[in-house]
Amino acid sequence: MNDEPLILAFCCHYCAYAAADLAGSMRLQYPGNVRVLRLPCTSKLEVNYMLAAFERGVDGVIVAGCLEGGCHFLEGNLRARRRVERTRQLLAEIGLEPERIEMFNLSSAEGTRFAEIATTMVDRVKRLGRSPLRPGQDRIEQEVMEIGRQAEAMLAEDKR
Amino acid sequence: MIVADRKKIPEICGMIENHRRVLLVGCGTCVTVCLAGGEREVGILGSALRMALRLRNQGDVSVDECTIERQCEDAFIDILAQRVPEYDAICSLGCGAGVQALAERFPKVPVYPGLNTQFMGILESQGVWTEKCSGCGNCRLGEFAGICPITRCAKRLFNGPCGGSRDGKCEVHPDLGCGWQLIHDRAAGLGILDRFERIVPPHDWSTGLDGGPRKVVREDQCIADLCSRA
């Protein structure tokens, strides 16, 4: 498992998260390298959260939002797309391959598409190789858990 | 508002790479509004710099972050004074005034600019800022229907457009409105076109940068010893 890439998927509650759930219900097979983090909308995702994921050492990032025009919050996914683009520009400046992050659009009914996206990104990141910022296997899992804890805390703060 | 944008990461890395502990200092005023140097941008740059330095095998350079309300005022810099001795360099995400205010306050610490200060301008639309004022120190907007020929005309002309004005656009860039076309249109709307029948005398540039560093003094607001400071 040590050489396997680790990918963090920021998934919108209204589409990609449900699609990932559906992929499971459909018993679809896809690589187990993807850790899913649920967001209320991809527009919740700021550039610094995506950078923080790379700083903690993940090898790739998936941002998965609703189909364009189908955002629960009207245009959250369009804003997210611009932020992902800015993150890609920053990664290029830093010296990391921008291809390590990509935004995808899908509906909650597309369990198959979620599995395809996961496979696509795992294949791509395998070609690029492990992130030079990646810590050891145990550490990276902890780092991803920590990102998840921070996200939960942030969402709890929002609900207050 | 002062408008700025961020320098490229490799340029900033090049400035700070020979230091061990670097403090990124954001500014909560103009550069926050133009999304260049506020708390969020400091966070983004901090993360980006730490990664870039690690990729250059300079991961031992630590980069910490903070943002103060206003870098251009000493009273707000007080908040930093206790922290700064822990660092051997500062990278400011303030405008040029902020960078120099920090440099004056901390004479033994190198202060590097993280931003390129651009101009005084306004928000044209979300994410787009436009230059409106060159800070010439001798405002004549009243003579030119409220549109500044120094800032808006690429050649800083005072007596009408140059030969490069075509269909209301400047020859410098096809998207750039001719400053004098704008002045003419607004003056026509105001019914004051006859004002431009007389020749406008040359501008006194001594109140601008050509006159050396400028100073504004309000004696009624001064505390004597502070006012005498250079």
Side-chain angles (χ1 to χ4, degrees):
Chain A
M1 185 69 185
N2 259 3
D3 289 331
E4 288 292 311
L6 196 139
I7 291 170
L8 182 60
F10 291 101
C11 292
C12 162
H13 166 78
Y14 293 95
C15 53
Y17 191 78
D21 201 28
L22 181 61
S25 303
M26 292 167 76
R27 305 288 188 264
L28 295 174
Q29 293 295 311
Y30 60 90
N33 310 59
V34 179
R35 304 288 177 273
V36 172
L37 199 148
R38 183 170 63 105
L39 299 170
C41 172
T42 48
S43 66
K44 185 70 191 169
L45 199 55
E46 304 238 16
V47 173
N48 43 347
Y49 305 159
M50 294 179 255
L51 286 184
F54 284 107
E55 192 179 352
R56 285 172 182 275
V58 301
D59 300 294
V61 168
I62 292 168
V63 178
C66 300
L67 295 168
E68 293 193 356
C71 173
H72 189 78
F73 300 98
L74 303 179
E75 53 185 37
N77 52 356
L78 304 180
R79 289 167 191 238
R81 179 166 291 284
R82 291 185 169 192
R83 290 177 195 162
V84 169
E85 190 47 48
R86 179 154 183 247
T87 306
R88 288 169 74 101
Q89 289 166 359
L90 276 159
L91 288 185
E93 278 187 51
I94 292 164
L96 271 180
E97 299 90 348
E99 297 80 14
R100 289 184 185 275
I101 181 168
E102 183 155 342
M103 175 148 187
F104 298 91
N105 299 89
L106 73 173
S107 80
S108 58
E110 292 182 291
T112 314
R113 170 122 171 92
F114 183 85
E116 281 169 10
I117 289 167
T119 309
T120 301
M121 279 302 280
V122 170
D123 287 348
R124 183 191 299 176
V125 173
K126 273 184 179 170
R127 275 199 305 278
L128 292 170
R130 281 174 56 163
S131 164
L133 300 169
R134 168 98 177 247
Q137 186 63 24
D138 292 347
R139 246 315 271 300
I140 185 66
E141 294 286 0
Q142 283 172 13
E143 296 282 3
V144 170
M145 294 277 279
E146 182 56 27
I147 293 171
R149 271 195 291 272
Q150 286 181 359
E152 289 293 333
M154 191 175 64
L155 292 177
E157 185 77 17
D158 275 2
K159 280 177 191 157
R160 230 181 279 154
Chain B
M1 172 180 65
I2 296 169
V3 179
D5 59 2
R6 179 178 52 78
K7 284 182 179 288
K8 294 283 182 200
I9 308 282
E11 185 182 349
I12 301 174
C13 276
M15 291 190 283
I16 64 170
E17 65 188 354
N18 293 324
H19 300 286
R20 293 274 74 83
R21 288 180 63 78
V22 178
L23 183 61
L24 283 185
V25 183
C27 179
T29 323
C30 310
V31 292
T32 295
V33 180
C34 69
L35 308 176
E39 193 172 355
R40 186 194 304 168
E41 298 300 319
V42 167
I44 290 170
L45 181 64
S47 191
L49 282 178
R50 285 188 292 273
M51 284 193 274
L53 288 164
R54 277 166 63 189
L55 291 173
R56 291 173 164 216
N57 292 321
Q58 288 170 312
D60 51 339
V61 179
S62 76
V63 177
D64 292 345
E65 303 154 12
C66 75
T67 300
I68 59 174
E69 192 63 29
R70 214 180 292 169
Q71 274 189 29
C72 57
E73 282 191 33
D74 210 34
F76 292 97
I77 304 175
D78 280 347
I79 297 160
L80 280 182
Q82 280 191 324
R83 284 190 75 178
V84 167
E86 298 167 30
Y87 296 91
D88 49 18
I90 291 172
C91 178
S92 161
L93 266 74
C95 72
V99 177
Q100 294 181 69
L102 296 182
E104 280 181 26
R105 178 68 182 266
F106 307 112
K108 292 183 179 166
V109 183
V111 182
Y112 300 106
L115 303 182
N116 289 321
T117 306
Q118 300 291 333
F119 49 74
M120 281 170 279
I122 62 170
L123 182 73
E124 188 177 291
S125 61
Q126 184 65 32
V128 180
W129 292 269
T130 312
E131 181 169 14
K132 296 292 178 189
C133 174
S134 303
C136 71
N138 183 11
C139 188
R140 297 169 67 180
L141 282 167
E143 293 171 56
F144 298 104
I147 293 166
C148 177
I150 298 175
T151 311
R152 309 287 287 277
C153 167
K155 295 177 183 173
R156 286 139 172 65
L157 297 179
F158 284 87
N159 286 287
C162 71
S165 179
R166 289 281 180 279
D167 302 323
K169 298 296 178 190
C170 176
E171 65 181 337
V172 168
H173 196 280
D175 292 336
L176 192 64
C178 164
W180 268 98
Q181 183 75 49
L182 297 170
I183 291 170
H184 178 277
D185 293 349
R186 183 162 157 80
L190 293 169
I192 54 169
L193 270 179
D194 57 322
R195 186 178 289 182
F196 299 110
E197 287 172 12
R198 69 175 180 87
I199 300 294
V200 176
H203 191 65
D204 174 9
W205 294 104
S206 69
T207 55
L209 268 180
D210 305 73
R214 292 164 280 176
K215 193 173 207 168
V216 172
V217 179
R218 272 280 303 272
E219 288 188 357
D220 60 322
Q221 297 290 324
C222 282
I223 302 167
D225 59 332
L226 286 181
C227 245
S228 62
R229 209 170 69 167

